[in-house]
Amino acid sequence: MFTEYEIETLIGNEDLMTSTKSLKKKFLKQEAPYLELSDEDFFALMMMVPTVGVALANGSVSLFEEMALNKKARKLSKGGYFLKKDPVVFGMKFLIQKYDFWEKEFLDFIRMTMEKTFDIKKLEKDYDPNATVDVSQYRLEMLKAPYIFTRFLASFFLESDDDVFGPRKVNSTDFGRITSIGQKLGLDKIPLFHYFLNTFEVK
């Protein structure tokens, strides 16, 4: 899961900063004209989109899911918040309300962020859906992958970075949304993403 310092580093890219400012202006004008968000916090809000999308897979966000989302958002917020009102948590309420409208634009931005951060094309190869990869081989492949790619996967779909190495249970609805978001981000062209999906135990 990303930290505020990693968010600050990522947004240091000039192209990403320019796009962040433009998207923030558009989002706030349409959804929350009185909401105050720094560029870093708005960038963090966009990084929450895959996680929010999975939480909304069944049409609404449960109390448990809301608590998990808020915990992740607080970790991303610049400066850190605990008892004070967290700007990313507050902004997320508007994102949840209009998720379907903003999903594509924000996922496109996330894809651009990955492309600006590491050579994602090097991970894209032909994938054999019938190929079997055992746990040890999967873990080795994950260790060989760019560290930042692991961070993106964990931030989007898991509770912690360590979870990328072990199995976890998920219901079929959430799994379908994880797969769908991965496709929209172009991750389905990466064999390692398919191996990652195979580590989920679908209930």
Side-chain angles (χ1 to χ4, degrees):
M1 182 163 56
F2 287 129
T3 66
E4 62 171 294
Y5 305 109
E6 289 168 325
I7 294 295
E8 187 176 301
T9 302
L10 289 171
I11 203 174
N13 179 280
E14 185 177 349
D15 292 335
L16 294 179
M17 175 62 86
T18 299
S19 294
T20 297
K21 288 180 178 294
S22 177
L23 287 168
K24 183 179 81 167
K25 182 178 180 180
K26 182 178 178 181
F27 180 81
L28 294 183
K29 181 180 180 180
Q30 292 188 215
E31 309 301 344
Y34 301 108
L35 178 63
E36 293 186 8
L37 275 178
S38 68
D39 294 333
E40 289 83 357
D41 284 339
F42 185 71
F43 183 97
L45 179 63
M46 289 192 286
M47 291 298 108
M48 289 289 299
V49 167
T51 311
V52 171
V54 175
L56 283 168
N58 63 356
S60 62
V61 177
S62 68
L63 178 60
F64 177 78
E65 288 171 326
E66 182 180 359
M67 291 172 62
L69 287 172
N70 290 348
K71 179 181 178 181
K72 184 172 285 192
R74 287 191 182 96
K75 187 169 184 180
L76 296 176
S77 295
K78 185 173 178 60
Y81 292 79
F82 181 61
L83 297 177
K84 297 179 181 179
K85 183 181 290 185
D86 185 291
V88 180
V89 170
F90 195 55
M92 193 165 54
K93 296 181 184 298
F94 297 95
L95 173 62
I96 289 172
Q97 292 172 3
K98 298 294 290 290
Y99 178 84
D100 289 341
F101 181 84
W102 292 102
E103 181 194 44
K104 184 181 186 306
E105 198 159 9
F106 287 175
L107 288 181
D108 286 347
F109 174 81
I110 290 174
R111 173 68 192 199
M112 181 175 73
T113 299
M114 290 191 288
E115 291 175 348
K116 295 287 184 180
T117 307
F118 66 100
D119 191 352
I120 193 171
K121 293 291 184 181
K122 279 191 174 180
L123 299 178
E124 296 178 357
K125 301 174 184 177
D126 292 334
Y127 170 68
D128 179 3
N130 297 314
T132 57
V133 176
D134 61 29
V135 174
S136 60
Q137 185 179 353
Y138 161 73
R139 291 172 180 170
L140 180 60
E141 290 298 321
M142 190 61 76
L143 286 172
K144 288 162 57 179
Y147 172 71
I148 190 64
F149 179 69
T150 305
R151 298 289 279 163
F152 275 113
L153 283 183
S155 251
F156 296 161
F157 305 121
L158 303 173
E159 292 298 318
S160 72
D161 290 350
D162 291 342
D163 289 343
V164 299
F165 294 105
R168 83 285 304 168
K169 295 181 180 180
V170 66
N171 65 54
S172 59
T173 302
D174 287 355
F175 183 75
R177 182 59 67 93
I178 290 171
T179 303
S180 173
I181 289 173
Q183 291 172 342
K184 291 173 182 178
L185 288 171
L187 301 182
D188 57 319
K189 299 175 183 177
I190 300 174
L192 185 55
F193 177 67
H194 292 278
Y195 305 154
F196 168 73
L197 291 179
N198 288 338
T199 63
F200 285 90
E201 182 183 333
V202 183
K203 299 182 287 184

